[in-house]
Amino acid sequence: QQQVKQSPQSLIVQKGGISIINCAYENTAFDYFPWYQQFPGKGPALLIAIRPDVSEKKEGRFTISFNKSAKQFSLHIMDSQPGDSATYFCAATRDSGGSNYKLTFGKGTLLTVNP
Amino acid sequence: DTGVSQNPRHKITKRGQNVTFRCDPISEHNRLYWYRQTLGQGPEFLTYFQNEAQLEKSRLLSDRFSAERPKGSFSTLEIQRTEQGDSAMYLCASSSLPTGPGTSGISPWAQYFGPGTRLLVL
């Protein structure tokens, strides 16, 4: 059973455009939703994260939008750059009280930003 | 470099051989995690330690897999009698147990990953 569904599988965007990656989760116990960026041959790097008590979190060109009732969240990359070309993973876990231990990941989105 | 380190970065072995990977977490991180990532998939949780205690193991971790974290520092993941299906990237992550609430929405128990060990079983 896939608890975190991610789409699209791949995405091609022109430089300066907006990249949007969507995720949906099933487990209502999840309360922490990080996004990771992974370049080929590297481990995932923590990018940005959100909790359900806020609907939006912005850091630089990266924004997470969160819809608790729909159990969906998305990553928006503004002014996408060729250097943003990577695989992006959404993840979810139960984090309350330090119980965070198992991240459940989506299958990933391969983003290509054309110059 | 104070990040998570993993060795070796690449390992090629023949089916039936045993392999061992090492992970050195970020200094003073109490928790250490192992994940497996196959091509085109997200990482899948295998097991985790809090200090030297192994607290959770996924059903993905068959009897051929064993992980240790002696003295609560580095960790090793051993695979015995490797099979071709074991070919994957093995990722290690670590996190701390700080007293503060975290910053910028990032959990104080945020997991930071190493570069991984890519295993190919022939």
Side-chain angles (χ1 to χ4, degrees):
Chain A
Q1 181 184 10
Q2 185 184 357
Q3 293 194 59
V4 179
K5 295 183 179 180
Q6 184 172 347
S7 62
Q9 189 173 3
S10 63
L11 180 62
I12 300 175
V13 174
Q14 291 299 117
K15 178 182 176 181
I18 301 174
S19 304
I20 302 175
I21 303 170
N22 301 299
C23 284
Y25 63 99
E26 299 170 3
N27 189 341
T28 54
F30 289 153
D31 59 5
Y32 177 65
F33 303 89
W35 285 87
Y36 285 83
Q37 178 190 56
Q38 186 175 32
F39 293 103
K42 306 292 185 182
L46 180 59
L47 194 61
I48 188 173
I50 197 168
R51 297 185 185 278
D53 55 346
V54 298
S55 60
E56 186 175 281
K57 175 72 190 308
K58 183 176 181 179
E59 285 189 8
R61 296 185 294 109
F62 299 90
T63 300
I64 302 177
S65 297
F66 191 88
N67 186 329
K68 186 176 181 179
S69 61
K71 293 188 288 185
Q72 295 176 348
F73 57 110
S74 59
L75 177 68
H76 297 234
I77 306 174
M78 305 299 192
D79 187 27
S80 299
Q81 299 296 313
D84 297 331
S85 297
T87 300
Y88 292 81
F89 293 96
C90 61
T93 188
R94 176 170 171 77
D95 186 63
S96 303
S99 59
N100 175 354
Y101 67 91
K102 179 170 67 176
L103 287 170
T104 299
F105 284 85
K107 290 191 174 183
T109 296
L110 177 61
L111 171 65
T112 302
V113 182
N114 288 329
Chain B
D1 188 344
T2 57
V4 178
S5 62
Q6 293 187 244
N7 288 288
R9 295 293 310 278
H10 303 273
K11 180 69 177 180
I12 300 174
T13 190
K14 293 182 179 179
R15 184 165 53 95
Q17 297 295 305
N18 298 345
V19 293
T20 300
F21 311 139
R22 176 178 170 128
C23 170
D24 288 88
I26 293 171
S27 179
E28 299 181 353
H29 271 192
N30 309 77
R31 290 183 174 176
L32 186 148
Y33 315 78
W34 286 100
Y35 290 81
R36 182 176 70 185
Q37 184 177 23
T38 53
L39 204 59
Q41 301 294 317
E44 296 176 290
F45 171 81
L46 292 178
T47 188
Y48 97 106
F49 294 83
Q50 182 158 312
N51 299 313
E52 67 275 7
Q54 187 175 17
L55 298 185
E56 178 77 16
K57 293 197 296 185
S58 163
R59 65 180 185 279
L60 293 175
L61 216 64
S62 74
D63 291 344
R64 297 183 297 105
F65 288 71
S66 63
E68 295 182 343
R69 192 183 183 197
K71 302 179 182 179
S73 56
F74 69 92
S75 176
T76 57
L77 178 67
E78 181 183 17
I79 309 175
Q80 296 182 328
R81 305 181 302 281
T82 53
E83 302 174 355
Q84 289 183 326
D86 297 332
S87 296
M89 173 83 90
Y90 289 85
L91 293 162
C92 175
S94 69
S95 71
S96 63
L97 290 173
T99 56
T103 60
S104 302
I106 299 295
S107 168
W109 304 280
Q111 297 182 30
Y112 296 91
F113 284 82
T117 294
R118 183 167 295 282
L119 172 67
L120 177 61
V121 181
L122 300 175

